[in-house]
Amino acid sequence: MNYKRTKVSFVSSCLCFVKNNAVMITAFLAAIITSIFIPIDKAYLDYFDYKTLTCLFCILAVVCALKNINFFYILARKVVQKFKTARLCILALVYITFLGSMLIANDMALLTFLPLGYFVLTTTNKQKYMAFTFIMQNIAANLGGMLTPFGNPQNLYLYTKFNIPNLEFISIMAIPFFVSMIAITICCIIFVKAEELKLEDEKLVLNPKRTIIYIFLFAFSIIIVFRVIPYWLGLIVIPLVLLFMDRKALKMVDYPLLLTFVFFFIFAGNMGRIDVVRTFFSAMMDKNTLLFSVLSCQLMSNVPAAILISQFTSNYADLLVGVNIGGVGTLISSLASLITFREYVKHNPGKAGYYIAMFSAFNFGFLILLTGIMMFLKTI
């Protein structure tokens, strides 16, 4: 009896792991399949962008430490408390997610601020705005992170691979960033009424010592991203400090995301060595890098699309824009979108269809708007 129960529990755990890490599993299978055509050799070592992996690990580890002391939650809650209507409160939640994604990456911003959105709406009896708020937070996380090299995982990879100058990176992403911000604001004003609400006080206190140290580590991580100091120092300093200050943060790091990058590096590297594939992708890139990048994200998500397509083009400006605005659209166009869907369904069982319909309407609206504007600007 115990054996059967253990077996069922093991199978259930495996299915849960596969469900929660579908992108990583897909990346792993893609790497294995392409390795059949391109046997493992010394060239595999050149596939990996070690700086991207290091920077991503450092930022994720420090953000987990800050999250463990409720740093982002307390900060966001204080901002939300200052607003007295549903419209302004939801705008604040969305803006916090939008700006937060620029600093702590889109998926971490959602994991941090979606629970706050749920808490605010349920305690103020405004659950009718739950789907809309989650969707706007999701769009804000995907599009807000586009302005900084560390805002989205694909940004960090492309920034490092093509050695893009800092000011050029910001100038490339400035227009879609501000258009996104304006569109998000208009949606919140139109679809949320200025209904009165009040958020009760909650006593939460930050640990001064840990806060100062973790903020220093976060600044240290950003300095590494901007190439001020060698990236390998991050692998020494940050794990060493967190080993003594917060071992839990090191365990909480999104290692499946890091492994997803590793597997997709192998997949993309192998694809680039297959003549037929290289010819096809190169031809597509020559026709329209921006549009092809956007469409690729809808089918394979923006991170793998960025890694794969970067093997076949030097037009990093269009590729960068494409894999960022391509993060909105289908539910699989960004890992962050799957996180939001999972969180919404957890709190609202039985409403998956309603959420997907509303999600698709808003996301494809943003996708068409941003793609249309950027395509038009290319013709000027």
Side-chain angles (χ1 to χ4, degrees):
M1 195 74 175
N2 289 334
Y3 171 75
K4 288 184 178 180
R5 194 177 295 119
T6 302
K7 185 177 180 180
V8 170
S9 178
F10 175 74
V11 172
S12 178
S13 297
C14 288
L15 291 174
C16 184
F17 177 82
V18 171
K19 181 180 178 181
N20 292 333
N21 298 281
V23 177
M24 185 194 73
I25 299 297
T26 301
F28 174 72
L29 293 175
I32 293 296
I33 292 171
T34 55
S35 295
I36 297 174
F37 299 96
I38 306 294
I40 298 175
D41 56 21
K42 290 183 179 179
Y44 270 59
L45 295 176
D46 296 326
Y47 291 170
F48 307 106
D49 190 324
Y50 299 102
K51 182 182 176 182
T52 297
L53 294 171
T54 300
C55 291
L56 192 57
F57 166 78
C58 291
I59 290 173
L60 290 174
V62 177
V63 167
C64 286
L66 284 167
K67 186 177 180 181
N68 286 344
I69 60 172
N70 291 317
F71 177 80
F72 300 111
Y73 182 82
I74 292 173
L75 184 64
R77 206 175 190 283
K78 287 185 178 296
V79 173
V80 171
Q81 279 182 314
K82 293 185 179 296
F83 300 98
K84 306 301 181 184
T85 67
R87 178 183 292 162
L88 291 177
C89 194
I90 289 174
L91 264 172
L93 285 167
V94 174
Y95 273 136
I96 289 167
T97 310
F98 191 76
L99 297 174
S101 66
M102 295 169 57
L103 299 174
I104 62 175
N106 55 358
D107 54 346
M108 191 59 69
L110 287 170
L111 290 172
T112 303
F113 300 127
L114 282 175
L116 178 62
Y118 173 77
F119 171 79
V120 169
L121 295 173
T122 51
T123 55
T124 58
N125 199 30
K126 300 297 180 185
Q127 293 94 330
K128 63 182 179 180
Y129 293 122
M130 187 75 69
F132 174 81
T133 302
F134 271 41
I135 290 167
M136 283 298 110
Q137 284 186 283
N138 180 83
I139 292 173
N142 281 325
L143 298 178
M146 73 170 75
L147 191 63
T148 59
F150 44 85
N152 290 325
Q154 69 270 18
N155 283 9
L156 190 56
Y157 166 69
L158 295 175
Y159 173 79
T160 303
K161 177 178 177 60
F162 293 106
N163 199 31
I164 306 172
N166 296 325
L167 291 179
E168 184 182 356
F169 186 100
I170 294 174
S171 66
I172 290 170
M173 302 310 303
I175 292 177
F177 175 82
F178 286 112
V179 170
S180 299
M181 187 165 62
I182 293 169
I184 288 170
T185 303
I186 292 173
C187 284
C188 290
I189 292 173
I190 292 175
F191 293 99
V192 182
K193 296 178 181 179
E195 302 168 354
E196 186 178 354
L197 57 76
K198 182 179 180 181
L199 187 63
E200 298 296 329
D201 289 331
E202 181 182 0
K203 290 184 178 180
L204 292 170
V205 181
L206 285 171
N207 182 307
K209 179 182 176 182
R210 290 180 182 272
T211 302
I212 292 171
I213 292 174
Y214 295 161
I215 289 177
F216 170 79
L217 290 179
F218 184 76
F220 183 73
S221 301
I222 301 306
I223 289 173
I224 292 174
V225 172
F226 284 121
R227 313 177 185 123
V228 177
I229 57 178
Y231 71 86
W232 53 265
L233 282 174
L235 284 179
I236 298 174
V237 175
I238 290 175
L240 189 62
V241 174
L242 292 181
L243 194 62
F244 291 98
M245 298 290 296
D246 189 355
R247 294 186 182 182
K248 184 181 177 182
L250 291 175
K251 295 178 182 179
M252 289 171 59
V253 171
D254 192 351
Y255 292 107
L257 177 61
L258 293 172
L259 286 173
T260 298
F261 267 82
V262 170
F263 296 143
F264 272 122
F265 280 144
I266 296 173
F267 168 67
N270 285 338
M271 291 288 279
R273 293 170 65 183
I274 300 174
D275 292 336
V276 176
V277 174
R278 187 168 59 249
T279 301
F280 171 76
F281 273 89
S282 297
M284 292 297 101
M285 291 299 99
D286 289 339
K287 289 182 178 179
N288 197 318
T289 302
L290 173 61
L291 185 58
F292 188 75
S293 302
V294 170
L295 294 176
S296 296
C297 292
Q298 307 310 307
L299 300 175
M300 67 174 78
S301 187
N302 48 11
V303 172
I307 295 173
L308 177 60
I309 296 172
S310 66
Q311 311 300 314
F312 308 100
T313 182
S314 58
N315 184 2
Y316 58 77
D318 283 355
L319 175 57
L320 188 61
V321 172
V323 296
N324 273 276
I325 64 178
V328 294
T330 63
L331 199 60
I332 63 170
S333 62
S334 170
L335 177 61
S337 298
L338 294 174
I339 291 173
T340 307
F341 175 69
R342 185 181 63 200
E343 286 296 306
Y344 179 81
V345 173
K346 182 175 71 175
H347 296 301
N348 301 272
K351 292 188 176 182
Y354 168 76
Y355 176 86
I356 292 174
M358 185 180 286
F359 174 93
S360 299
F362 279 105
N363 271 263
F364 279 108
F366 271 80
L367 183 67
I368 293 169
L369 172 67
L370 290 168
T371 304
I373 289 175
M374 298 312 296
M375 291 286 288
F376 173 74
L377 291 176
K378 283 178 60 66
T379 63
I380 299 176

